[in-house]
Amino acid sequence: MLRSDQVLVTVGTACTISAVGSTETYQALVAQSEEFLPLAAFDAGLVELDPEAPSAADGMRWAQGEQAGQPVSLDELKRLHGAELRAQSGIRHVPGVRDLAPRVVTDIAAPLPHDLETVGLRRLAGLRYEDIRGSGLKEMHGLFQNDPLLSPSLQAQLFAYGALGALAGLPRPLSELVPNPLSFRVASATAFGGNEALGQWLRPDAPLPEGGFPKDTFAVRLAHSLGSHGPALVSTMLAPSFSISRVLKNPELREQLKSEEVGFTRVPQAPATAVGACASSLIALADIAPQLLFDYPGFQRPQVVLLTAADAALQPRYGILEAFGGGALMTGEKLAAKNAAHGDGSERTVHDALAPFDIDADGTVVGHGGSGLLVTTLDFALRNQLDITSIIVGWGQSGEAGGKAHFAGVGFGGENALVQALDMAYQAHGFGVDDFQYLAAHATGTRTNSKTDLGTALAGLRGAALRQGREGELPKLFVGTPKAVGDGHTMGETGLKALSQAVQFVLGRTAPGVPTLRRLDPDLAEVAGHFHLQAEPSPGNADGGAICATQGFGGYNGAVALRSANAETLKRYAADPAVLEAYLAAWPTIRAEREKRERVARRSPKLALAMAERHRWAGLE
């Protein structure tokens, strides 16, 4: 029996942003809820929501124009903006792509919806210069200039929104739960650096941008090009604020940084950034998980980790669409040809062009995304009465053989990551392969990946079953993927988005199926028979298990296994009886309050800034 300090859990649900929209917008689309349009309108800045209302459709008011502040009904919103809001989200044709990158083969992509790519995400997150200048973080306002070359890169904004938004699940400020910042760490993942800054590194003989270069442009662009810039920004926003100019003039102010632990300074641990192609975020979890559990004399292990991932791979000028080429991408020409061949009324729109496991799976769609999720130990969650939303029962990572002729190719041996995760689930937690019902698949939308995705998952399940001494047919797992909902492929972030949906499944909430699936790829006939593949979403299982598996260019693989957190599963671990009893008695209230906190925070303005102000450690006030 594991001790409660040897068990990892998630706290609250993930905060996400993608081509579909923010967390609640995405979940409403998965659940096919009437709340989708009001939440999409909130993302777009068209309406303000009453965050206390049980439904997003209740208490809507116009946010701009002559009618600002006036109530708006759902029917009116549908009539005036319904078609526009749907057209601006998910996978779509993006105008002007070939003007920016003449050699690209497609204009189908999944960038952020509405105006979020330009000014909207900063508005939604509260990261505009004027927002920071008037906040408790005013000492760092210089990092949030309005000039596009000096403002946080889109990737940094994605990190800040997803990571800081995850803190909404906490009942008390992070600074109270973890008084010593040294016990906190940001663990991050990305496949690419801040590419929008690289796009501004012009040739020496190139003409100046309109208006010339702003002050200190190279240093800022250099910082933005680092994959670690976004995670560092998150960590800095939460760290105690100390103005360098003030401290240089008055060195005694640094005394306020002294920790109660003699010799240590009151700052968080350095953010960690994992780069493992499309498996980055699950590799980041596999890297940070042992640190939460490791016990060694003198080692300062983190008590709480903020797991976050973001990628803005289409920046700065859609060049990645040229790099991928027409073979790997879904294009308008491919879509038109397939629709012409069908001729039976089953034509696809661009919104469902990414079709994993389908005969129409003929290319992936690149998208942008950012996510954040809190991870801690069961012991810490019980003692602080945090809402435990899943138990992380296993994790693993592996490299591959094969694919050497083209380094971007997927080879063989990726099942090792999943076997590691399932070995841990069985040997440490007592959960066998029969205890998992949902696979959050990688599902990029190519026929090759459809085969390797299900084939690797099946090989991993079979390998784990053999190691567990289990014989006979394996249970069929329900398969789901956020990509087919409209996210596109979000690169290094994709595993964490899949993990966010796995958490929903084990909570007993609606989780995606493969909504673009119509005709199963006949090449999958043998392997597909071992899985449930359907378009309809899953209702979830509050006493179930889910696995996530990702495959990345260069042979990177990551896997994570989750189980539902309920009274029976928590009792499997050795915890202080009084602490566990008190937690179980209070759990219904803890969960209801957490759900309301997340709903209110994520439907309120300036999410990231509000969370940073609430949860940061005090500095020079």
Side-chain angles (χ1 to χ4, degrees):
M1 179 181 286
L2 292 177
R3 302 189 312 269
S4 58
D5 64 345
Q6 296 174 306
V7 179
L8 296 185
V9 299
T10 61
V11 171
T13 60
C15 181
T16 66
I17 191 85
S18 66
V20 170
S22 57
T23 309
E24 303 237 327
T25 310
Y26 177 87
Q27 290 300 136
L29 183 61
V30 170
Q32 302 170 2
S33 165
E34 281 276 310
E35 289 192 290
F36 172 75
L37 275 182
L39 291 165
F42 173 73
D43 291 343
L46 291 175
V47 302
E48 296 173 345
L49 302 178
D50 177 0
E52 300 284 346
S55 171
D58 299 332
M60 281 191 297
R61 295 183 179 274
W62 292 116
Q64 52 185 276
E66 295 180 358
Q67 292 184 300
Q70 296 298 311
V72 54
S73 69
L74 181 57
D75 287 341
E76 187 178 10
L77 181 64
K78 286 180 180 178
R79 177 174 56 84
L80 293 175
H81 297 287
E84 171 193 8
L85 289 170
R86 292 185 185 278
Q88 290 178 349
S89 70
I91 295 168
R92 55 200 187 274
H93 289 292
V94 183
V97 168
R98 289 189 172 90
D99 294 334
L100 295 171
R103 292 186 295 177
V104 301
V105 296
T106 184
D107 66 343
I108 297 177
L112 299 184
H114 321 304
D115 64 347
L116 298 187
E117 295 260 337
T118 52
V119 298
L121 184 53
R122 292 186 75 185
R123 178 197 70 243
L124 202 62
L127 299 179
R128 296 168 295 189
Y129 179 82
E130 57 270 25
D131 296 329
I132 302 296
R133 194 73 181 91
S135 74
L137 280 70
K138 58 181 179 291
E139 293 287 1
M140 58 188 303
H141 68 272
L143 296 175
F144 297 89
Q145 299 289 333
N146 288 328
D147 187 287
L149 292 182
L150 299 179
S151 64
S153 67
L154 180 62
Q155 181 172 291
Q157 295 172 44
L158 290 166
F159 268 117
Y161 183 89
L164 293 168
L167 298 176
L170 295 178
R172 299 188 300 284
L174 179 64
S175 57
E176 292 182 12
L177 289 167
V178 186
N180 185 353
L182 189 62
S183 297
F184 170 78
R185 192 166 198 194
V186 173
S188 67
T190 185
F192 295 95
N195 289 338
E196 52 266 68
L198 291 174
Q200 302 293 342
W201 289 13
L202 306 176
R203 289 181 351 209
D205 61 340
L208 286 174
E210 186 176 344
F213 284 114
K215 181 183 177 183
D216 197 27
T217 179
F218 184 80
V220 174
R221 285 181 290 148
L222 178 62
H224 287 182
S225 71
L226 302 175
S228 58
H229 180 71
L233 187 65
V234 171
S235 187
T236 302
M237 292 177 74
L238 292 172
S241 178
F242 278 76
S243 166
I244 292 178
S245 60
R246 286 179 63 189
V247 173
L248 288 177
K249 294 174 184 176
N250 188 0
E252 299 81 40
L253 293 174
R254 282 183 294 181
E255 294 296 311
Q256 297 182 39
L257 267 178
K258 284 188 175 179
S259 170
E260 292 183 0
E261 291 193 49
V262 175
F264 283 106
T265 305
R266 200 165 51 86
V267 295
Q269 295 184 34
T273 303
V275 179
C278 303
S280 296
S281 53
L282 297 192
I283 288 174
L285 177 58
D287 283 346
I288 199 65
Q291 294 189 34
L292 283 154
L293 305 175
F294 182 59
D295 191 11
Y296 189 81
F299 177 67
Q300 293 284 332
R301 66 180 181 181
Q303 291 180 298
V304 173
V305 164
L306 182 51
L307 179 65
T308 182
D311 263 304
L314 293 167
Q315 295 289 322
R317 297 186 179 94
Y318 299 94
I320 194 172
L321 299 181
E322 177 183 336
F324 265 96
L329 293 176
M330 175 53 68
T331 69
E333 290 76 12
K334 288 181 180 179
L335 183 60
K338 289 184 179 298
N339 283 337
H342 288 164
D344 58 358
S346 63
E347 290 81 5
R348 292 182 180 274
T349 68
V350 68
H351 291 285
D352 53 13
L354 192 153
F357 314 117
D358 195 286
I359 188 64
D360 289 341
D362 205 6
T364 195
V365 177
V366 180
H368 290 169
S371 296
L373 182 63
L374 286 168
V375 178
T376 187
T377 63
L378 174 59
D379 180 70
F380 187 89
L382 292 176
R383 293 183 184 280
N384 290 281
Q385 298 205 330
L386 309 179
D387 187 25
I388 301 167
T389 48
S390 75
I391 303 172
I392 302 174
V393 294
W395 59 84
Q397 55 177 299
S398 67
E400 292 178 348
K404 306 283 188 197
H406 187 345
F407 194 56
V410 175
F412 312 101
E415 61 265 29
N416 283 3
L418 184 54
V419 173
Q420 286 182 63
L422 294 174
D423 252 13
M424 197 180 299
Y426 182 68
Q427 295 183 33
H429 299 263
F431 291 111
V433 292
D434 296 281
D435 293 306
F436 298 92
Q437 300 82 29
Y438 185 78
L439 167 66
H442 191 48
T444 61
T446 68
R447 294 184 72 180
T448 296
N449 180 250
S450 293
K451 297 172 190 175
T452 62
D453 206 2
L454 294 184
T456 299
L458 182 59
L461 289 164
R462 284 174 169 170
L466 287 172
R467 293 174 63 78
Q468 294 168 20
R470 187 195 182 285
E471 299 179 353
E473 192 65 27
L474 293 174
K476 292 185 178 182
L477 272 67
F478 187 93
V479 178
T481 171
K483 296 182 183 67
V485 179
D487 276 356
H489 187 12
T490 57
M491 304 299 157
E493 186 267 355
T494 189
L496 186 49
K497 184 61 182 283
L499 186 60
S500 76
Q501 294 307 297
V503 169
Q504 293 290 329
F505 178 86
V506 298
L507 279 170
R509 309 291 168 77
T510 305
V514 189
T516 56
L517 181 64
R518 297 178 185 176
R519 306 175 186 84
L520 185 68
D521 186 342
D523 288 351
L524 298 177
E526 181 179 354
V527 67
H530 298 277
F531 298 90
H532 289 298
L533 287 160
Q534 63 186 54
E536 292 74 24
S538 165
N541 185 342
D543 189 26
I547 56 177
C548 301
T550 55
Q551 300 171 300
F553 284 175
Y556 289 94
N557 298 278
V560 175
L562 303 180
R563 276 290 302 184
S564 297
N566 52 48
E568 292 306 311
T569 53
L570 296 193
K571 289 176 181 177
R572 298 169 74 101
Y573 307 107
D576 184 309
V579 171
L580 179 59
E581 182 180 357
Y583 182 86
L584 294 177
W587 204 357
T589 301
I590 292 170
R591 173 147 298 173
E593 290 178 348
R594 187 269 303 166
E595 291 174 342
K596 181 178 180 180
R597 274 194 312 275
E598 289 185 342
R599 183 179 70 249
V600 168
R602 294 170 185 176
R603 298 184 183 189
S604 297
K606 304 179 182 179
L607 173 64
L609 177 59
M611 293 298 99
E613 288 196 291
R614 172 173 169 77
H615 293 285
R616 68 192 179 96
W617 286 271
L620 291 178
E621 305 299 336

